[in-house]
Amino acid sequence: MTVRVRIAPSPTGNLHIGTARTAVFNWLFARHHGGKFILRIEDTDLERSRPEYTDNILEGLRWLGLNWDEGPFFQSQRLDLYKGEVQKLLERGLAYRCYTTSEELETLREAQKARGEAPRYDNRHRNLTPEQRAAFEAEGRSSVIRFKIEDEREIVWNDLVRGKMSWRGSDLGGDMVIARASDEGSGQPLYNFVVVVDDIDMQITHVIRGEDHIANTAKQILLYEAMGAKIPEFSHTPLILNMEGRKLSKRDGVTSISDFQKMGFTAEGLVNYMTLLGWSPPDSTQEIFTLESAAKEFGFERVNKAGAKFDWDKLDWLNSQYIHKTPVDKLTDLLIPYWQAAGYKFDGGRERPWLEQLVTLISQSLTRLVDGVAQSQLFFTDTVEFSDEGSTQLKQEGSAAVLEAIVTALENQPQLSEAAAQDIIKQVVKEQKVKKGLVMRSLRAALTGDVHGPDLIQSWLLLNQIGLDKSRLSKAITAVN
Ligand code: GLU
């Protein structure tokens, strides 16, 4: 048997972290077994589906490296197939037309509520005679198609994550609507039905999806039986929770993959984190995984039943690991869009070699790519802002004289080298008879506005190359005097 799995997002929003994590597990499972990963866009909800969401979903999956083998298939282009299947169930007496109006259903629900019962359809139109049907049609009532669910049925499956699962037919809300009223004969087919038609048609062997679909699985198993198809394996993956243990939601700030991207997470870091959201590798000390390396180890026996807590610190840590080992040229490519978004201009000597030198300087201190904006700001602006500590440093005794001596030394150095910079510092220490620390701190305060920051000599060289060191030094001297 060739493993065939699918991810089936509905384009009613951007690619959600929960869907993306489900996609990761599907991908890992497919690759582990040398199987196929299929992409199906479930766009039957015409009012809520939008092409821009489809684009966002496809871009997000591609960005994460979750390449698919077949698809994308669009349900909106497969309506004839679904309608044909609805028709077959009608003809075989496994489904029927129900003419109950929404007012009647509401009255039924109210009565059930008053008796303290769960709301369910009472199957009242299951056995209409042709005359009764004709009478409803003559009244101009529209109909939905309902699939018969026997109350006494027990539906059992062996879930790959949750073990033995069992549902009673009586808990499924009565005969289920599989197609909504529409002007055409078989109506507009609905989610639970089309998923099964597609999963059969696409020969899906394992349905891997979020645990919020468990009740759907019970209904869908009955549909597989009705259509005479082999029932796939099911695997319901745990929900993603926030640190308080509640389902991760919009209130937690970010939920879509494009948000995570904007926040400066790398595709590799995020995907690595998602593999660990609910799955624990056989060697629990191993945390760094590419999709390929995780696929070798992946199986549902190590996927937890309990919800997976979203841990920002861990995501940040993993992300920084990837940033720190990204080669400079690639990291520069990754940072450029963030600099552009911040309005930084690549003029006045800020060319590719200079940018790469800047990236080398800051790379090890980045946790998220977006940190590269703040950490390189002083290299993209003409003037620096002084922190309190920076100003205090410039007011230290001897500071102004040190800076003046550096300016003088620089006059003979149009292009500063690392060795020349070191020499100037040594020379000033000697001349001014001061400690090296004072020279270094004053120089840093003058050039960067602060007393902490990246390597001073490298920062100086970068500023020198774009002609900003002398002006900053002079400005600092004026500020002190
Ligand atoms: N379209 C469904 C969703 O976005 C997924 C259905 C499934 O995986 O069966 O939640």
Side-chain angles (χ1 to χ4, degrees):
M1 177 192 69
T2 307
V3 163
R4 292 176 60 85
V5 299
R6 84 302 191 274
I7 185 72
S10 305
T12 53
N14 287 335
L15 179 60
H16 187 273
I17 178 87
T19 310
R21 200 279 312 263
T22 304
V24 168
F25 284 7
N26 271 282
W27 191 99
L28 295 176
F29 189 75
R31 294 293 173 261
H32 183 86
H33 291 282
K36 300 278 185 229
F37 174 56
I38 293 149
L39 172 59
R40 181 169 79 221
I41 301 293
E42 302 207 320
D43 56 350
T44 48
D45 183 341
L46 298 176
E47 275 122 60
R48 293 172 57 225
S49 296
R50 298 254 182 288
E52 55 271 29
Y53 293 140
T54 299
D55 292 344
N56 180 279
I57 290 166
L58 300 189
E59 278 164 26
L61 292 173
R62 275 193 205 108
W63 180 68
L64 292 168
L66 298 168
N67 49 319
W68 53 92
D69 304 303
E70 294 174 25
F73 299 107
F74 291 86
Q75 286 187 327
S76 58
Q77 293 166 10
R78 299 164 57 83
L79 292 176
D80 288 346
L81 171 68
Y82 312 137
K83 287 179 183 172
E85 292 302 319
V86 170
Q87 203 54 43
K88 281 190 212 158
L89 291 180
L90 280 170
E91 280 160 17
R92 292 167 59 210
L94 298 172
Y96 62 90
R97 272 177 207 287
C98 163
Y99 297 87
T100 318
T101 62
S102 38
E103 292 77 25
E104 287 169 343
L105 286 173
E106 191 49 39
T107 312
L108 174 65
R109 262 194 294 271
E110 290 298 327
Q112 287 165 338
K113 215 164 122 192
R115 293 196 298 271
E117 294 169 9
R120 52 175 281 136
Y121 176 62
D122 59 3
N123 303 350
R124 62 178 65 174
H125 285 184
R126 199 191 251 207
N127 297 307
L128 292 180
T129 63
E131 292 73 28
Q132 286 170 312
R133 258 200 301 265
F136 283 135
E137 305 255 344
E139 258 181 56
R141 289 196 186 204
S142 59
S143 61
V144 299
I145 314 287
R146 285 189 186 266
F147 171 71
K148 293 179 183 171
I149 296 182
E150 302 306 340
D151 277 354
E152 6 349 297
R153 268 298 310 265
E154 201 197 350
I155 304 131
V156 180
W157 76 92
N158 190 20
D159 196 282
L160 295 181
V161 173
R162 316 179 77 82
K164 189 179 166 201
M165 302 288 289
S166 142
W167 276 73
R168 282 181 309 202
S170 54
D171 289 338
L172 293 177
D175 292 343
M176 75 188 255
V177 180
I178 56 170
R180 229 188 270 131
S182 88
D183 296 341
E184 291 167 61
S186 313
Q188 170 74 38
L190 294 184
Y191 164 71
N192 267 312
F193 180 71
V194 297
V195 162
V196 176
V197 174
D198 277 342
D199 285 342
I200 296 172
D201 186 59
M202 296 173 187
Q203 300 172 344
I204 299 303
T205 57
H206 296 75
V207 172
I208 301 162
R209 59 185 168 201
E211 67 173 40
D212 43 337
H213 284 287
I214 289 178
N216 290 331
T217 297
K219 292 178 181 170
Q220 291 179 13
I221 285 176
L222 296 176
L223 285 165
Y224 278 97
E225 287 176 3
M227 290 189 246
K230 188 172 182 313
I231 298 171
E233 300 282 347
F234 290 96
S235 170
H236 290 95
T237 56
L239 292 180
I240 302 177
L241 309 174
N242 63 19
M243 282 314 250
E244 286 78 49
R246 283 188 299 274
K247 190 176 166 185
L248 193 75
S249 74
K250 287 227 160 68
R251 258 169 287 145
D252 295 297
V254 283
T255 47
S256 70
I257 295 303
S258 41
D259 289 338
F260 283 95
Q261 190 176 6
K262 279 192 209 104
M263 286 172 76
F265 291 102
T266 59
E268 293 85 354
L270 186 56
V271 110
N272 187 156
Y273 182 64
M274 284 195 284
T275 63
L276 299 172
L277 255 182
W279 174 66
S280 23
D283 171 1
S284 60
T285 58
Q286 193 185 347
E287 297 193 294
I288 304 285
F289 283 99
T290 60
L291 280 171
E292 284 72 20
S293 65
K296 289 202 185 87
E297 319 266 357
F298 186 81
F300 282 103
E301 59 293 342
R302 304 193 64 84
V303 171
N304 306 325
K305 282 195 218 102
K309 277 200 182 159
F310 199 91
D311 182 344
W312 287 97
D313 290 341
K314 180 137 182 204
L315 172 59
D316 273 335
W317 178 78
L318 281 168
N319 201 58
S320 66
Q321 300 301 303
Y322 282 95
I323 291 183
H324 298 169
K325 62 179 190 210
T326 302
V328 167
D329 59 337
K330 173 141 186 256
L331 190 53
T332 307
D333 289 341
L334 291 174
L335 285 169
I336 284 173
Y338 291 89
W339 286 329
Q340 281 169 334
Y344 293 175
K345 301 266 180 302
F346 306 130
D347 56 0
R350 294 175 180 91
E351 278 150 21
R352 184 76 192 195
W354 183 87
L355 291 173
E356 291 193 2
Q357 217 175 310
L358 170 60
V359 172
T360 308
L361 177 68
I362 61 172
S363 66
Q364 295 307 306
S365 56
L366 302 179
T367 299
R368 302 180 186 178
L369 292 169
V370 76
D371 298 339
V373 170
Q375 296 197 21
S376 56
Q377 197 204 7
L378 75 102
F379 299 98
F380 283 101
T381 43
D382 286 346
T383 48
V384 288
E385 297 203 3
F386 291 100
S387 69
D388 288 347
E389 284 173 295
S391 321
T392 311
Q393 178 58 42
L394 291 179
K395 288 181 199 125
Q396 296 288 306
E397 203 192 322
S399 202
V402 157
L403 296 180
E404 273 162 25
I406 295 175
V407 171
T408 312
L410 267 175
E411 271 158 20
N412 318 317
Q413 299 279 350
Q415 262 258 289
L416 198 64
S417 67
E418 188 171 341
Q422 303 279 17
D423 281 348
I424 291 178
I425 290 169
K426 267 191 223 139
Q427 189 189 319
V428 172
V429 167
K430 220 161 132 195
E431 258 175 40
Q432 302 290 314
K433 301 194 176 52
V434 289
K435 293 230 163 71
K436 187 176 176 194
L438 177 76
V439 179
M440 297 298 269
R441 284 195 301 274
S442 303
L443 180 60
R444 184 187 288 283
L447 292 177
T448 72
D450 208 351
V451 292
H452 314 283
D455 183 273
L456 178 59
I457 300 291
Q458 294 305 321
S459 303
W460 186 10
L461 296 181
L462 278 164
L463 289 168
N464 179 267
Q465 285 169 37
I466 53 173
L468 284 185
D469 58 339
K470 292 182 196 93
S471 56
R472 287 191 186 178
L473 287 162
S474 312
K475 215 154 166 211
I477 293 164
T478 324
V480 186
N481 291 326

